[in-house]
């Protein structure tokens, strides 16, 4: 348990490096430098895998043990045929069917991987992708294959090595739960 907590704590600085794109600086905020002295802002490192800010149908609910049932990602509302975008820069690790569903995995620097399903891929494994680049279209699956979403949805996942993490952490929106770390036996 302590190792898992330390893993999450070690991830936080890498995951929360930019402010979410959906929170712009208010127009009335004074700029620190005149417009002619400001450098162009780099694009955000992490962003939603769908255009805009999608509605979350089901949140991240990891199982207490890796082999138990749980929800290892978030489900985002989207219409069939919606463009699916890479949440961050990386390289496509997998783009093809897994258990009857189209799955795309993007490998990011720092040992992170994002997953997207059900998606009809428009990219091939090995291809470099930029943050926000279209990587496929949301598939319209028949009811027996659609799983647990009441309507069409994108299942978006995040892993570091074999550990599933809340992908909303990439956007600064995930719940962070800090637990005590004992050096000896708890009293």
């Amino acid at each position: 348990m302590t190792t898992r907590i330390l893993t999450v704590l070690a991830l936080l600085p890498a995951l929360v490096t930019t402010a979410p794109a959906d929170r712009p600086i208010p127009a009335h905020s004074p700029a620190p430098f005149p417009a002619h002295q400001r450098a162009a802002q780099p694009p955000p490192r992490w962003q939603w895998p769908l255009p805009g800010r999608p509605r979350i149908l089901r949140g991240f609910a990891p199982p207490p043990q890796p082999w138990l049932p749980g929800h290892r990602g978030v489900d985002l509302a989207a219409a069939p045929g919606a463009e699916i975008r890479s949440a961050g820069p990386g390289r496509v690790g997998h783009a093809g069917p897994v258990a009857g569903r189209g799955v795309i995995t993007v490998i990011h620097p720092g040992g992170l991987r994002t997953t997207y399903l059900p998606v009809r891929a428009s990219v091939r494994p090995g291809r470099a992708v930029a943050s926000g680049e279209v990587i496929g279209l949301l598939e319209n699956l028949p009811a027996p294959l659609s799983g647990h979403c009441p309507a069409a949805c994108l299942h978006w996942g995040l892993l570091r090595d074999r550990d599933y993490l809340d992908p909303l952490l990439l956007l600064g929106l995930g719940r962070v739960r800090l637990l005590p770390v004992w050096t000896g036996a708890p009293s």
Side-chain angles (χ1 to χ4, degrees):
M1 179 60 94
T2 301
T3 303
R4 195 172 278 173
I5 293 167
L6 294 175
T7 300
V8 171
L9 290 175
L11 272 176
L12 289 178
L15 294 177
V16 187
T17 56
T18 60
D22 62 337
R23 284 195 252 154
I25 298 171
H28 65 277
S29 294
F33 300 102
H36 68 281
Q37 291 180 351
R38 278 185 257 147
Q41 292 292 334
R45 179 173 167 85
W46 299 105
Q47 56 186 301
W48 289 102
L50 291 160
R53 184 177 177 147
R55 184 168 50 99
I56 298 171
L57 297 175
R58 185 173 178 198
F60 181 67
Q65 298 295 330
W67 58 87
L68 294 174
H71 194 238
R72 294 164 173 87
V74 296
D75 292 335
L76 305 174
E83 290 183 336
I84 307 304
R85 301 165 187 270
S86 179
R91 186 164 304 281
V92 177
H94 176 81
V98 174
R101 296 174 177 91
V103 176
I104 298 175
T105 300
V106 177
I107 302 166
H108 305 280
L112 296 175
R113 289 178 289 152
T114 51
T115 58
Y116 312 82
L117 68 125
V119 179
R120 186 173 63 243
S122 60
V123 292
R124 295 195 182 279
R127 178 161 176 238
V129 292
S131 182
E133 183 175 338
V134 175
I135 55 176
L137 302 175
L138 186 68
E139 290 182 319
N140 187 15
L141 294 178
L145 290 178
S146 63
H148 54 268
C149 287
C153 71
L154 171 70
H155 179 85
W156 179 33
L158 173 65
L159 295 100
R160 177 173 209 120
D161 299 319
R162 294 181 146 184
D163 295 323
Y164 285 90
L165 305 170
D166 186 347
L168 296 179
L169 288 170
L170 297 173
L171 305 172
L173 301 173
R175 281 187 18 210
V176 176
R177 206 173 53 160
L178 300 177
L179 300 174
V181 178
W182 289 281
T183 54
S187 51

